[in-house]
Amino acid sequence: MTDWPEARSDDNRGGRYGRGSASAQPEGARVMRQVRRGPAVPPGQGGYGGVPQQPSYVDGHGSGGGYDSGYNTGQVYGAPGGGGPGGNGHGPQRPAPDWRRRVKWTAITVATVLVVTTVGTYFWADSKLNREVDLSKVIERPEKGEGTNYLIVGSDSREGMSDEDKKKLHTGSAEGKRTDSMMILHTGDNGSTLISLPRDSNVEIPSFVGSDSGKSYPGTGRQVKLNAAYAEDGPELLVRTVEFNTGLHIDHYVEIGFGGFAGIVDAVGGVEMDIPQDIKDTKSGADLKKGKQTLNGEEALAFVRTRYALAGSDLDRTKNQQKFLSALANQVATPGTVLNPFTFYPTMGAGLDSLIVDEDMGLFDLADMFWSMKGVSGGEGTSMNMPIAGSAGGNLLWDKAKVKQLVNQLNNDEKVTVKGG
C-alpha cells in the first residue's frame, strides 16, 4: 500500500515535489506559485476513482510546467535588486553628509548670534549710562594735553537706599551729597597713573558759572577743603576747581554713590583684599582682621570709608581706596566675569545703574578706565597721592612745585617720576 496511484505519480508533480525531490535546493527558497484553475476533467480521463487530475502551477511570470528549478530571486518585497529590507544595497543610497557645508553654516550661525548679542548688549548698556554732567558749563578750562584724564568721584549719596540699607551700610541719613573720595586717572602710552586727591586738600574756589542758575560767581580767593566745592555746586564746580588748582584738563567725569558701590562688589561675588592691619571703626562700620580675605559689598564700603582708625587719617584712607578700586577693576575684567553672562550682566547692571558720568562719556571710555585701573593693580602703572607739603588749619597743603612737575609729565604723557604724599 505504499505505492502512489497512477493518477498521482511523480510525473504529475514536476519531478521534484515532496520528500522525494532530488534537487539540492531547499523548497523554501523557491518562488511562490499561483494556482490556475482549468476546466473540469471529463470522467474517466487522467483520474483515479473519479478524482480529477491535479491542476498545473504557473510561476510568477506566467510560464507553466511545474515549479521553477531556480533559487528565490530575493523579490519577496517587490524591490528590484533586493533594495528592500535585507537587500544587497543595489537600490538608491542616501548621499554622504557634506561636512564642509555643515561647518560653514554652523560658523555663520554662531557668528550671527555673537554679533546680534554684542550689538544688543552694547545698546542695552549704553542706554543705562546716566549722562547728567555737562562739562560745557565749566569755564576758563586749561588746554587738553596728551592722553585722557578721568576725575573719579565717590560720593556719599544715599539716593535709592532704604532706611534698612542706610543702617546696614552705616551711611547715616544726611541730606544732599558730598564727596567721600576723589581721584584722577591718567591713561596714555606710558602706562596709567592713579592720583588721589585728599578731601581735606586746601584749594581756592575760582570764578564759575552756576550749573543750575547759570549765574556767574567771581573768584574771591576763598580757601576751602576740596570736598566743599562739590557740596557748593556739584560736579561742574568740582571739575572747575580741580582744573584751576592743578592746570590739568579733565576729559571725563565718573561718580558712584554708596549703594551702587556695594552693589557692584556683591555682583562680582566679592573682592579679595590683603588688609594691612586690624581695623575697627564704629563710624564706617568696619570690623576687619589683618590678612587676605574676600570682602562683600558692606565690608568693602566700610573699608574704603575708614579714616579715624588709621594713623594717617585721610592720606591712609586714599591709599586703601586706590588699592581696593584697582582690585575691583581687576575682578570685573577677569574672564570669569566677562564671559559668564550670569555674572557679567548683573555686574554691568549694578554698575551702570549707579554711575553718573559726563554727557560725552561712552562705553569705550568706561572700558578704557576700568582696564587702566586693572593695569595699575597689575604693576603696569603708578598709584600715588597728590604731593603734600604740610597742613594748615586742618587742611592739607599741596607741594606746588611737585604738582606743577607732575602735571607737566601728565600733559606730555611722560612716565611719572614725581613722588606723592
Side-chain angles (χ1 to χ4, degrees):
M1 299 297 294
T2 60
D3 294 334
W4 287 93
E6 180 181 357
R8 300 182 65 182
S9 66
D10 286 347
D11 292 338
N12 283 337
R13 293 183 289 120
R16 294 188 299 277
Y17 184 81
R19 298 180 183 178
S21 173
S23 170
Q25 303 165 353
E27 284 185 298
R30 300 189 184 98
V31 177
M32 185 69 70
R33 301 303 193 274
Q34 295 177 348
V35 178
R36 183 177 64 194
R37 302 195 180 279
V41 179
Q45 297 183 13
Y48 175 73
V51 177
Q53 184 178 4
Q54 293 293 319
S56 62
Y57 291 83
V58 181
D59 64 18
H61 300 288
S63 60
Y67 281 110
D68 183 7
S69 61
Y71 283 106
N72 187 300
T73 60
Q75 299 177 5
V76 175
Y77 293 93
N88 59 15
H90 293 300
Q93 296 190 14
R94 184 178 181 179
D98 188 344
W99 290 108
R100 296 181 66 180
R101 181 181 179 84
R102 289 188 181 185
V103 170
K104 172 185 174 181
W105 282 107
T106 300
I108 291 175
T109 301
V110 170
T112 302
V113 170
L114 287 175
V115 169
V116 171
T117 301
T118 301
V119 172
T121 299
Y122 176 86
F123 284 105
W124 165 78
D126 188 72
S127 68
K128 295 179 76 65
L129 273 179
N130 300 309
R131 298 181 172 93
E132 300 178 7
V133 180
D134 186 0
L135 294 183
S136 68
K137 295 179 179 180
V138 180
I139 62 173
E140 301 175 17
R141 308 191 67 185
E143 289 187 12
K144 178 176 171 55
E146 299 293 329
T148 303
N149 299 313
Y150 300 87
L151 180 60
I152 304 170
V153 175
S155 77
D156 64 0
S157 171
R158 297 155 180 84
E159 186 175 351
M161 295 175 64
S162 65
D163 291 339
E164 183 180 351
D165 291 335
K166 294 174 185 177
K167 182 178 180 180
K168 177 182 177 183
L169 298 176
H170 300 272
T171 65
S173 299
E175 297 296 328
K177 295 194 299 182
R178 284 154 293 278
T179 52
D180 221 47
S181 61
M182 291 161 282
M183 302 178 189
I184 293 175
L185 174 67
H186 173 84
T187 66
D189 295 334
N190 285 291
S192 302
T193 303
L194 186 61
I195 308 162
S196 286
L197 309 176
R199 58 179 284 176
D200 293 339
S201 297
N202 189 84
V203 295
E204 178 183 339
I205 297 293
S207 58
F208 68 96
V209 174
S211 57
D212 292 328
S213 65
K215 182 180 177 181
S216 296
Y217 296 88
T220 61
R222 181 163 46 107
Q223 304 290 309
V224 298
K225 292 182 179 181
L226 180 58
N227 65 339
Y230 182 95
E232 186 171 333
D233 197 48
E236 288 84 1
L237 180 55
L238 178 61
V239 171
R240 167 72 174 134
T241 302
V242 169
E243 290 187 340
F244 177 82
N245 285 270
T246 62
L248 190 67
H249 181 94
I250 300 299
D251 297 290
H252 292 295
Y253 177 91
V254 181
E255 177 186 328
I256 186 169
F258 282 163
F261 179 84
I264 295 175
V265 175
D266 285 334
V268 297
V271 176
E272 185 180 74
M273 286 291 297
D274 189 359
I275 307 299
Q277 65 183 71
D278 290 349
I279 299 176
K280 190 171 182 64
D281 185 354
T282 56
K283 291 193 175 183
S284 70
D287 188 5
L288 305 170
K289 299 297 182 182
K290 178 181 179 180
K292 283 189 177 182
Q293 54 201 283
T294 298
L295 305 182
N296 61 27
E298 178 184 348
E299 294 166 334
L301 182 59
F303 175 67
V304 299
R305 293 182 62 217
T306 294
R307 62 186 245 172
Y308 295 103
L310 305 175
S313 189
D314 202 33
L315 290 177
D316 283 350
R317 178 172 70 164
T318 57
K319 293 176 182 178
N320 286 340
Q321 290 171 346
Q322 287 181 349
K323 291 177 182 177
F324 186 84
L325 288 179
S326 294
L328 175 60
N330 188 67
Q331 177 71 22
V332 170
T334 58
T337 299
V338 175
L339 300 180
N340 183 353
F342 298 102
T343 303
F344 176 74
Y345 286 103
T347 302
M348 286 280 286
L352 296 174
D353 279 340
S354 57
L355 289 180
I356 295 175
V357 300
D358 66 271
E359 294 181 347
D360 295 327
M361 186 77 161
L363 288 178
F364 291 110
D365 299 312
L366 199 60
D368 174 65
M369 185 188 80
F370 270 98
W371 280 104
S372 298
M373 292 182 70
K374 178 184 177 182
V376 171
S377 66
E380 300 174 3
T382 302
S383 60
M384 58 185 291
N385 274 322
M386 187 64 81
I388 302 297
S391 63
N395 293 358
L396 296 174
L397 303 176
W398 292 353
D399 187 322
K400 294 184 178 180
K402 288 186 177 180
V403 169
K404 183 177 181 180
Q405 182 183 1
L406 172 64
V407 171
N408 285 336
Q409 291 177 342
L410 295 178
N411 277 332
N412 295 321
D413 197 21
E414 299 172 353
K415 185 175 179 59
V416 172
T417 60
V418 178
K419 302 299 180 183

